[in-house]
Amino acid sequence: MRVAVFSSKPYDERYLGVAAAGSPHKLDFFEAQLNPDVVKLAHGHEAVCVFVHDEVTGDVLRELAEGGTRLVALRAAGFNNVDLDVAKEVGIKVCRVPAYSPYAVAEHAVALILSLVRRTPRAYNRVRDGNFALDGLLGYDINGKTVGVVGTGRIGTVFAGIMKGFGCELLAFDPFPSDEMTKLGARYVDLRELFSSSDII
């Protein structure tokens, strides 16, 4: 199967190339984002592989179908950039990544929080310039702070568990409350209370 990979980066070529090695699939990589102006690049490809900023609109899907494409594979969990009704209408199947590692995303969020709370980027820049003054670099302890978690699916729940390990109080908001969050000691509140009562959101 010939696959047109749009919004391609060097790491896409490296890892997708390894995954396709020895298979009957031939991957053609395009740096361009899929949109109405470049969709003809996909003609002759049975599948296209797209990312979050690619435009898989009705017009693009109709053009893909005309060019022989029968599958759109997303390199993302979300599919809001795909017109699913038109895909069905023109006979193109759509598949996606069912989930990313919730730990990777939650841990990255914690790393960003720690960077801000401890002013790590500013301290790094100062030390690099030979300035070891502490003025403006004093952070604060996360322990004992109230953390508001907006969205308590897999990522939010993993994130809340990490923050619980720091000794934080947890507030949560989600239209679909999670028993796991409640077991972590989180208290579900409305957004107004979460915003006004949280030290970190």
Side-chain angles (χ1 to χ4, degrees), residues 6 11 16 47 60-61 66 80 86 91 109 113 124 127 139 154 173 181 193:
F6 286 93
Y11 54 80
L16 293 175
V60 167
L61 285 160
E66 265 185 48
N80 55 303
V86 173
I113 290 168
Y124 171 82
V127 170
R154 287 187 292 259
F173 173 82
M181 284 292 289
E193 182 176 347

Side-chain angles (χ1 to χ4, degrees), residues 16-17 19 30-31 40 63-64 67 70 73 94 96 112 133 141 153 162 192 196 201:
L16 293 175
F30 301 102
E31 287 183 34
K40 288 196 185 309
E63 184 72 35
L64 287 172
R70 293 290 167 253
V94 178
R96 65 185 178 98
L112 293 174
D141 292 345
I162 295 169
R192 184 183 298 267
S196 65
I201 301 172

Side-chain angles (χ1 to χ4, degrees), residues 24-35:
H25 306 298
K26 181 186 181 320
L27 307 182
D28 295 318
F29 294 94
F30 301 102
E31 287 183 34
Q33 290 180 0
L34 179 61
N35 62 50

Side-chain angles (χ1 to χ4, degrees), residues 74-96:
L74 290 109
R75 302 190 307 279
F79 49 89
N80 55 303
N81 57 330
V82 180
D83 188 325
L84 295 176
D85 292 331
V86 173
K88 186 175 184 179
E89 171 193 313
V90 297
I92 293 180
K93 292 190 181 302
V94 178
C95 64
R96 65 185 178 98

Side-chain angles (χ1 to χ4, degrees), residues 122-133:
R122 179 183 281 181
Y124 171 82
N125 288 330
R126 278 196 192 173
V127 170
R128 188 187 61 204
D129 293 338
N131 178 352
F132 298 96

Side-chain angles (χ1 to χ4, degrees), residues 1-5 16-17 19-30 42-50 67-74 91-95:
M1 173 184 297
R2 285 189 70 199
V3 182
V5 182
L16 293 175
S23 78
H25 306 298
K26 181 186 181 320
L27 307 182
D28 295 318
F29 294 94
F30 301 102
H43 279 207
H45 293 82
E46 293 90 347
V48 296
C49 183
V50 299
T69 299
R70 293 290 167 253
L71 173 70
V72 171
L74 290 109
I92 293 180
K93 292 190 181 302
V94 178
C95 64

